[in-house]
Amino acid sequence: MGQKCEICGKSAAIGKQVATRGKAKYLGGVGTKVTGISPRQFKPNLQRIRITDENGASRRVRVCTQCLKSGRVTKRIKNKPFQLPSDAMALLAAAKEKATQKGKGKKASKS
């Protein structure tokens, strides 16, 4: 499995760690000097999350945070949010419309 994003394929990159010492010239010193260079790894920020794949099944994957933030992955919905029945939604919409009609009628009679 390893340190690899299952969506974009991002994995660990190899780089160097540069150690310096001394005071910068703009601060009044003689400049910074490189005292050591050692190899290091830049690892991706992977998170284990549960997603819903194309088939509708939920599974655990390791995904980098850039894929999560950009929306390339949709998280699994644990529970469906509360929804009113369709007939109740129609009644609610009718009540809102009636309230706006009353509000307009009162404003017109005052003027």
Short mmCIF file of all heavy atoms in Angstrom, two decimals, residues 21-33:
data_model
loop_
_atom_site.label_atom_id
_atom_site.label_comp_id
_atom_site.label_asym_id
_atom_site.label_seq_id
_atom_site.Cartn_x
_atom_site.Cartn_y
_atom_site.Cartn_z
N ARG A 21 24.39 28.32 9.04
CA ARG A 21 24.66 29.07 10.26
C ARG A 21 25.27 30.40 9.86
O ARG A 21 25.72 30.58 8.73
CB ARG A 21 25.59 28.30 11.20
CG ARG A 21 26.97 28.05 10.65
CD ARG A 21 27.85 27.38 11.66
NE ARG A 21 27.91 28.24 12.85
CZ ARG A 21 28.88 28.20 13.73
NH1 ARG A 21 29.87 27.37 13.59
NH2 ARG A 21 28.89 28.99 14.77
N GLY A 22 25.26 31.33 10.78
CA GLY A 22 25.78 32.66 10.52
C GLY A 22 24.66 33.67 10.48
O GLY A 22 23.48 33.33 10.48
N LYS A 23 25.03 34.94 10.44
CA LYS A 23 24.07 36.04 10.44
C LYS A 23 23.97 36.61 9.03
O LYS A 23 24.98 36.81 8.36
CB LYS A 23 24.55 37.12 11.41
CG LYS A 23 23.51 38.13 11.79
CD LYS A 23 24.01 38.99 12.93
CE LYS A 23 22.91 39.91 13.41
NZ LYS A 23 23.35 40.77 14.50
N ALA A 24 22.76 36.87 8.58
CA ALA A 24 22.54 37.39 7.23
C ALA A 24 23.19 38.75 7.05
O ALA A 24 23.33 39.53 8.00
CB ALA A 24 21.03 37.50 6.97
N LYS A 25 23.61 39.04 5.82
CA LYS A 25 24.30 40.30 5.54
C LYS A 25 23.42 41.51 5.82
O LYS A 25 23.88 42.51 6.34
CB LYS A 25 24.78 40.33 4.09
CG LYS A 25 25.98 39.48 3.83
CD LYS A 25 26.50 39.70 2.43
CE LYS A 25 27.80 38.94 2.25
NZ LYS A 25 28.37 39.13 0.93
N TYR A 26 22.14 41.40 5.47
CA TYR A 26 21.26 42.56 5.68
C TYR A 26 21.02 42.83 7.16
O TYR A 26 20.53 43.90 7.51
CB TYR A 26 19.94 42.38 4.91
CG TYR A 26 18.96 41.42 5.54
CD1 TYR A 26 17.96 41.89 6.39
CD2 TYR A 26 19.00 40.06 5.26
CE1 TYR A 26 17.05 41.02 6.96
CE2 TYR A 26 18.10 39.19 5.81
CZ TYR A 26 17.12 39.68 6.67
OH TYR A 26 16.21 38.82 7.24
N LEU A 27 21.35 41.88 8.02
CA LEU A 27 21.25 42.09 9.47
C LEU A 27 22.58 42.54 10.07
O LEU A 27 22.69 42.70 11.28
CB LEU A 27 20.78 40.80 10.15
CG LEU A 27 19.36 40.36 9.83
CD1 LEU A 27 19.07 39.00 10.45
CD2 LEU A 27 18.35 41.38 10.31
N GLY A 28 23.61 42.69 9.24
CA GLY A 28 24.89 43.16 9.74
C GLY A 28 25.94 42.09 9.88
O GLY A 28 27.04 42.35 10.36
N GLY A 29 25.64 40.88 9.44
CA GLY A 29 26.61 39.79 9.54
C GLY A 29 27.44 39.66 8.28
O GLY A 29 27.37 40.48 7.37
N VAL A 30 28.22 38.58 8.23
CA VAL A 30 29.08 38.34 7.05
C VAL A 30 28.41 37.38 6.07
O VAL A 30 29.01 37.03 5.06
CB VAL A 30 30.46 37.80 7.48
CG1 VAL A 30 31.23 38.85 8.24
CG2 VAL A 30 30.33 36.52 8.27
N GLY A 31 27.19 36.97 6.34
CA GLY A 31 26.46 36.08 5.45
C GLY A 31 26.32 34.68 6.02
O GLY A 31 27.13 34.26 6.84
N THR A 32 25.29 33.97 5.59
CA THR A 32 25.08 32.61 6.09
C THR A 32 25.91 31.63 5.28
O THR A 32 26.14 31.81 4.09
CB THR A 32 23.59 32.23 5.98
OG1 THR A 32 23.17 32.33 4.63
CG2 THR A 32 22.72 33.11 6.85
N LYS A 33 26.36 30.59 5.94
CA LYS A 33 27.18 29.55 5.31
C LYS A 33 26.45 28.21 5.42
O LYS A 33 25.81 27.92 6.43
CB LYS A 33 28.53 29.41 6.02
CG LYS A 33 29.28 30.71 6.24
CD LYS A 33 29.83 31.24 4.94
CE LYS A 33 30.75 32.41 5.15
NZ LYS A 33 30.12 33.63 5.56
#
